[in-house]
Amino acid sequence: MTDANHTVAYVGLGSNLGDRAGNLLLAVRALMEASFCVDKLSAIYETEPLEIESDVNFLNMVAEIHVTNVSASQMMARLLRIEYLLGRRDKTVKKPRTADLDILFFGDQQMTSEFITLPHPRLHLRKFVLVPLNEIAPNFVHPILQTEVGELLAKVDDTSEVKRWNPNFDIARELAANS
């Protein structure tokens, strides 16, 4: 949905360095502090690193954000600032990161610049994006592929593991390892 002043955007959030869950929480808080209305949040999913040089799994989620009087480029600038504030200094592709925030969709807008590509050019190939996106927007239609998110997930070739994150499982595993 997009009109002259109001847009519904979907943002992918991920972290695999440091306090991964804490980084996601801080990123959501920073989105609100950046004057974005966070309307929906998916659950958090633990995912295998895909195209990243790391042995540490990611935590990923997706946020539905209502944006008012902000362009996609302005939103991207705010997301980059949030990443920086959360400790991401190295924007090199294929590196672990404290915070990774990507605009997946900005309404039905399509654009390509050196700064941003909309919709995100690889979201339909990545289960770690599609699973949480499907949770909160299964019927959203990809403006280029003209396919609903749920159908994209059903067809994706990505076989990486994406499972709902359970922090209690991690604590129990750590306690067992230390006993």
Side-chain angles (χ1 to χ4, degrees):
M1 175 180 150
T2 303
D3 65 33
N5 299 316
H6 177 80
T7 302
V8 175
Y10 293 93
V11 174
L13 299 92
S15 175
N16 80 327
L17 280 181
D19 179 1
R20 301 172 304 158
N23 291 336
L24 292 180
L25 178 65
L26 290 171
V28 170
R29 181 178 172 185
L31 288 168
M32 293 185 288
E33 289 174 354
S35 299
F36 294 127
C37 178
V38 178
D39 193 47
K40 292 181 186 174
L41 292 172
S42 73
I44 297 172
Y45 292 85
E46 189 163 25
T47 65
E48 296 178 56
L50 187 64
E51 303 170 0
I52 300 285
E53 299 168 0
S54 178
D55 296 332
V56 179
N57 284 347
F58 271 83
L59 292 185
N60 290 97
M61 66 189 305
V62 171
E64 180 182 283
I65 299 174
H66 289 248
V67 182
T68 305
N69 296 321
V70 174
S71 71
S73 294
Q74 290 168 326
M75 182 178 198
M76 192 67 224
R78 292 182 193 182
L79 297 185
L80 290 170
R81 176 82 176 136
I82 292 168
E83 288 181 351
Y84 181 82
L85 291 171
L86 292 176
R88 183 167 181 191
R89 301 295 188 267
D90 186 354
K91 288 294 288 180
T92 309
V93 179
K94 299 187 179 191
K95 295 287 184 183
R97 49 208 59 175
T98 53
D100 185 32
L101 284 75
D102 291 315
I103 301 174
L104 305 173
F105 296 112
F106 193 84
D108 59 1
Q109 189 168 342
Q110 299 175 40
M111 69 180 285
T112 300
S113 71
E114 63 182 72
F115 190 54
I116 187 172
T117 301
L118 291 172
H120 190 286
R122 292 175 306 284
L123 77 89
H124 64 288
L125 305 172
R126 296 174 165 178
K127 208 159 97 178
F128 71 85
V129 172
L130 289 171
V131 170
L133 182 61
N134 184 63
E135 181 185 327
I136 62 173
N139 302 115
F140 185 88
V141 176
H142 191 296
I144 295 173
L145 302 176
Q146 293 300 306
T147 306
E148 290 184 349
V149 168
E151 192 176 336
L152 292 172
L153 176 59
K155 292 188 210 176
V156 72
D157 289 334
D158 178 2
T159 58
S160 63
E161 185 175 13
V162 176
K163 62 183 179 185
R164 195 165 175 149
W165 181 62
N166 181 345
N168 295 326
F169 179 76
D170 287 347
I171 291 168
R173 186 173 48 200
E174 284 180 32
L175 290 173
N178 293 329
S179 58

